[in-house]
Amino acid sequence: MTKAVILAGGLGTRLSEETTVKPKPMVDIGGKPMLWHIMKTYSAHGINEFVICCGYKGYLIKEYFANYFLHMSDVTFDMQNNQMHVHNHRAEPWKVTLVDTGEDSMTGGRLRRVRDFVKDDDYFCFTYGDGVGDIDITSSIAYHQKHGCLATLTATVPQARFGALEIEGEKVTSFKEKPKGDGNLINGGFFVLSPKVIDYIEDDLTVWEQFPLKKLAEDGQLMAYEHHGFWQPMDTMRDKVMLEELWRTGKAPWKIWN
């Protein structure tokens, strides 16, 4: 059974309007936490076992899953008889392990702390708790299995922050709303990894994106799965508002489930 490890312990300081009261992956998009959207994406590809790396305000994530029926279903409370009746159960086929990976651990340190949950697997998925996309997880796993290296990252082209003008002479001939950026591929944050990559992580203060990824690349053990569809991190309130609008209007490209 393929597992997905999700980082959910950071402070999210650039989204401080929301993250002073909750961890960043628990910020809502369309009334559901960002973490839920990411898990639904994996679940659409048949991955239903999750290891969540908790840290900052991790108890809120634990409470969310402990009370999942309350969040997702209609409920009647019979106060006189001290009973609760859940109507129209909307359960997910998920097994969720929540691990306290420390308040101050870095991204690599958090992954290192969940080693025991993935050490016996041939591979596992790994991502951040603040980005969504219509990533073909199934294809990325097949690609990883085929090339045989220790690590696969999903490489994507981010949108430019601002719209682009096309000008002939001094006349504006067209306006492109947030086109793709300069064409350079970046780390899109959806990985497929061998448990052996955890040997590249020294301690809690190791940043995954620094020594481990760079060393994997130097060793010829890091491959790129290219994704040219939708991908968007939620770094700022501007990003949150944009994702909310896509969800509200029924145009959310990452909603690949029914």
Side-chain angles (χ1 to χ4, degrees):
M1 179 75 71
T2 303
K3 300 184 186 78
V5 176
I6 304 177
L7 294 173
L11 291 173
T13 53
R14 286 185 290 176
L15 201 63
S16 58
E17 298 93 332
E18 294 269 0
T19 55
T20 53
V21 295
K22 63 181 71 170
K24 192 176 179 185
M26 295 305 291
V27 173
D28 282 354
I29 299 296
K32 304 288 194 309
M34 173 64 88
L35 181 59
W36 179 88
H37 290 266
I38 295 167
M39 293 170 73
K40 288 289 283 185
T41 299
Y42 277 109
S43 191
H45 287 276
I47 297 173
N48 294 303
E49 189 166 346
F50 299 94
V51 179
I52 312 298
C53 302
C54 301
Y56 172 70
K57 295 187 183 294
Y59 63 90
L60 291 174
I61 301 176
K62 292 177 182 178
E63 288 176 357
Y64 175 78
F65 286 106
N67 298 303
Y68 192 79
F69 281 135
L70 295 181
H71 292 284
M72 302 298 292
S73 305
D74 298 327
V75 183
T76 296
F77 293 99
D78 184 339
M79 310 300 282
Q80 184 175 2
N81 296 305
N82 192 29
Q83 293 178 338
M84 179 181 77
H85 303 280
V86 179
H87 309 282
N88 303 319
H89 290 225
R90 290 194 283 273
E92 304 288 351
W94 296 346
K95 179 180 178 182
V96 184
T97 301
L98 303 168
V99 183
D100 181 359
T101 57
E103 283 274 330
D104 302 315
S105 299
M106 297 291 103
T107 49
R110 295 191 189 284
L111 176 56
R112 185 171 179 267
R113 286 214 189 186
V114 301
R115 180 200 294 264
D116 286 348
F117 297 96
V118 297
K119 65 182 180 181
D120 296 325
D121 299 341
D122 291 333
Y123 59 86
F124 63 95
C125 296
F126 178 56
T127 195
Y128 308 104
D130 62 356
V132 289
D134 54 353
I135 316 292
D136 191 336
I137 304 294
T138 301
S139 291
S140 70
I141 290 173
Y143 175 71
H144 177 82
Q145 292 176 299
K146 184 177 180 180
H147 65 59
C149 293
L150 295 182
T152 301
L153 65 75
T154 294
T156 189
V157 180
Q159 284 189 327
R161 183 176 174 186
F162 302 104
L165 299 176
E166 289 203 9
I167 300 175
E168 293 182 8
E170 296 178 355
K171 183 177 288 187
V172 177
T173 58
S174 69
F175 179 83
K176 206 181 260 189
E177 180 67 22
K178 288 191 178 178
K180 289 290 187 180
D182 58 11
N184 288 325
L185 290 163
I186 66 165
N187 170 17
F190 285 79
F191 298 89
V192 186
L193 304 173
S194 161
K196 293 177 182 178
V197 303
I198 300 175
D199 293 336
Y200 286 72
I201 302 170
E202 184 176 356
D203 55 29
D204 282 354
L205 299 181
T206 302
V207 177
W208 168 246
E209 301 77 16
Q210 294 179 5
F211 177 81
L213 277 188
K214 291 177 181 177
K215 182 65 171 141
L216 282 163
E218 288 175 8
D219 291 350
Q221 291 294 330
L222 180 61
M223 300 291 284
Y225 172 79
E226 292 191 16
H227 170 67
H228 294 280
F230 178 85
W231 172 83
Q232 180 63 49
M234 185 179 62
D235 288 330
T236 64
M237 281 303 293
R238 179 197 296 267
D239 298 331
K240 172 179 161 54
V241 170
M242 185 266 282
L243 291 170
E244 281 274 14
E245 182 64 13
L246 287 173
W247 187 266
R248 185 188 67 79
T249 56
K251 299 176 181 177
W254 71 91
K255 186 182 183 299
I256 58 174
W257 59 89
N258 295 322

